[in-house]
Amino acid sequence: MAFAAASVLSLQGCAGWQSALDPKGPAANELAWLIWFFIGLCSVVWVLVMIALAAPLLMRPPRRTEPLMLDASADHRKLRVVVIAVGLTAATLVGLTLLSFFANRTLAAIGSNAALTIRVTGHQWWWEVRYEDATPSRILTTANEIHIPAGEPVRLLLTSTDVIHSFWIPSLAGKLDLIPGHMNVLDIKADKPGTYRGQCAEFCGAQHANMGTFIIAEPRAKFDAWWNDQLQPAAAPTGDEAKAGADLFLKRPCVMCHKIGGTPAGGTVAPDLTHIASRQTLAAGTLTMSRGNLAAWIADPQGIKPGSHMPVVELNGDELNAIVAYLEGLK
Amino acid sequence: MRLGFATLLSVTLALAACQREERDTRPQSSLGSGGQPTPVTTLEPGGQRPSPSNNKAASFEANAFHLSEGKRLFGWFNCSGCHANGGGGMGPALMDQKWIYGSSMESIHATIRDGRPNGMPSFRNKIPDDQIWELAAFVRSLSGNAPSSAAPQRNDDMMPHPSENRMPDAATLGKSP
Ligand SMILES: [Cu+2]
């Protein structure tokens, strides 16, 4: 009793923005329903098996006058029980297989008419996100934060450039691997607007644990506005400090790795920083976005995310402040 | 007793091997690249600059982590754009035994940091100093000048030459000295 109460209480911890037991989209719904059904049915089977095992142990064996004498009718009864048990087991297994088959068909159908395709590329230890569009000038590259229109199916194309990662937004869908040189397709749909957290689910190196991502589902109009904003080149720096920062960004190693749209910085091996200040977190969900955290990250990425592929760039206090002032304005 | 000693010995030896992978990812000095000797001139044909006692050269050279970081950066910073995968293109081959500016860690570091007159750009201020050392260590491994226990192993994609840990030492043309 106490155990049951404790388990129910601990399940409360499973609600929230990252939980397979708190589904927020059709795919996750299907999976949650399936797992609960499996657990329920398997529990019943387990209890029945335990009873069947316990009964003969507790029952007194029938007294026999001649131990070696065969009792044909009793044997016949026993055979029937075994045949029925095997039949029930087979039927249960076939039933569960069919259920999981149909659940899979439902998952596959979710994205059949998806209007939006997003390419998600895993890197050690962040996510590159590219919105595909038939018009090349509307193709958008960003990082770590995936905005989608709520209530619409979205097709994700998953791949990687280094090692195998796995994309998992528990509240919306099951996990699927990102494999170098191979493209996996995952369809997701969020029923309601909201922020859903995801996490790399395949060990991929030192900072695997700090490889988070966010799906932000918004009403269509808001999503379109977001996309249009993100397509704009970076905001021009205002104020002397930010201007100095923009200049420093181009003169220092930052420019070798990062892209800032509308400036000569065109590196493609690290997150696109064109609208960095519009994101909610830094370094794949490691820090929340704020001026202080930006400065902390740039001053010592190896202290915050040891082994990350962003090196420590030596800057003095003024230079650091200037670069932070510039990046902070890239809304 | 003897078994205990053998175990202890092998554990100690195994621990010593961890040195090969030691990952220091933060520069030791925060004084900036001013701590590095300033080049007197950019013209140093064939010469090796008097080796400044830089412990980075020694500690990065036999370290598997720094070598593989160097390999990644060689692609990231587009060294391959001019040097291909070491075989040479617009820039000279880096996997042969010919060195225009010397084969030491220090000369290669100086080449990358300050550039060279016939078209090698200077990466001063564009690549942090530690990463230049990593690149230098990797460049040396291209011609077999790195311990095979530490040099990078096979690529994930198509390889234009044997993996760095199987490269014959170009200086001795494959014969061990
Ligand atoms: Cu991972």
Side-chain angles (χ1 to χ4, degrees), chain A residues 124 162-163 206 250-257 269-270 300 302-303 306-309 311-314, chain B residues 23 25-33 65 69 72-73 75-77 123-128 131 156:
Chain A
Q124 281 176 324
D162 36 47
V163 298
L250 297 178
K251 290 198 174 131
R252 291 312 184 88
C254 323
V255 68
M256 301 282 289
C257 298
V269 296
D300 191 11
Q302 295 301 326
S308 127
H309 289 332
V312 177
V313 174
E314 290 183 4
Chain B
R23 302 174 175 211
T25 54
R26 280 147 117 181
Q28 277 133 16
S29 89
S30 50
L31 296 174
S33 50
F65 173 69
E69 290 289 289
R72 181 171 55 75
L73 295 174
W76 275 25
F77 295 154
F123 289 91
R124 176 190 289 275
N125 283 334
K126 285 290 192 305
I127 303 183
Q131 276 65 38
D156 288 335

Side-chain angles (χ1 to χ4, degrees), chain A residues 165-182:
Chain A
H165 305 273
S166 186
F167 185 83
W168 192 25
I169 314 284
S171 309
L172 296 184
K175 56 181 100 154
L176 193 62
D177 280 3
L178 298 89
I179 300 169
H182 175 82

Side-chain angles (χ1 to χ4, degrees), chain A residues 78-88:
Chain A
K78 282 180 195 156
L79 182 67
R80 212 160 52 205
V81 169
V82 169
V83 168
I84 291 175
V86 168
L88 279 178

Side-chain angles (χ1 to χ4, degrees), chain B:
Chain B
M1 174 63 208
R2 195 177 278 170
L3 189 70
F5 180 73
T7 320
L8 193 68
L9 189 71
S10 53
V11 167
T12 322
L13 283 178
L15 278 180
C18 298
Q19 198 72 14
R20 161 188 180 276
E21 271 273 21
E22 202 175 327
R23 302 174 175 211
D24 64 33
T25 54
R26 280 147 117 181
Q28 277 133 16
S29 89
S30 50
L31 296 174
S33 50
Q36 295 297 318
T38 347
V40 189
T41 157
T42 47
L43 283 169
E44 283 177 77
Q48 263 159 277
R49 57 181 60 217
S51 70
S53 54
N54 191 312
N55 63 350
K56 291 248 163 92
S59 69
F60 277 38
E61 202 170 11
N63 182 298
F65 173 69
H66 290 307
L67 278 158
S68 72
E69 290 289 289
K71 179 168 179 159
R72 181 171 55 75
L73 295 174
F74 196 84
W76 275 25
F77 295 154
N78 198 26
C79 311
S80 1
C82 296
H83 294 283
N85 282 295
M90 177 263 176
L94 300 176
M95 58 192 275
D96 59 11
Q97 77 273 38
K98 278 203 232 112
W99 293 95
I100 312 174
Y101 300 101
S103 66
S104 74
M105 281 283 280
E106 284 80 6
S107 350
I108 300 175
H109 176 270
T111 299
I112 302 170
R113 189 187 52 180
D114 304 333
R116 295 293 184 186
N118 286 329
M120 168 73 189
S122 157
F123 289 91
R124 176 190 289 275
N125 283 334
K126 285 290 192 305
I127 303 183
D129 197 56
D130 273 15
Q131 276 65 38
I132 298 187
W133 284 112
E134 286 173 342
L135 280 163
F138 171 68
V139 165
R140 274 174 60 77
S141 78
L142 277 170
S143 51
N145 280 303
S148 61
S149 59
Q153 299 171 19
R154 66 175 188 84
N155 285 6
D156 288 335
D157 44 10
M158 278 222 292
M159 299 213 299
H161 55 70
S163 59
E164 287 78 11
N165 66 345
R166 294 176 57 223
M167 286 299 275
D169 183 344
T172 57
L173 292 171
K175 295 191 238 21
S176 33

Side-chain angles (χ1 to χ4, degrees), chain A residues 123-125 127 163-166 199-205 207-211:
Chain A
H123 297 275
Q124 281 176 324
W125 289 278
W127 311 87
V163 298
I164 299 179
H165 305 273
S166 186
Q199 171 70 37
C200 178
E202 176 70 49
F203 180 71
C204 57
Q207 288 301 329
H208 165 63
N210 283 323
M211 185 166 166

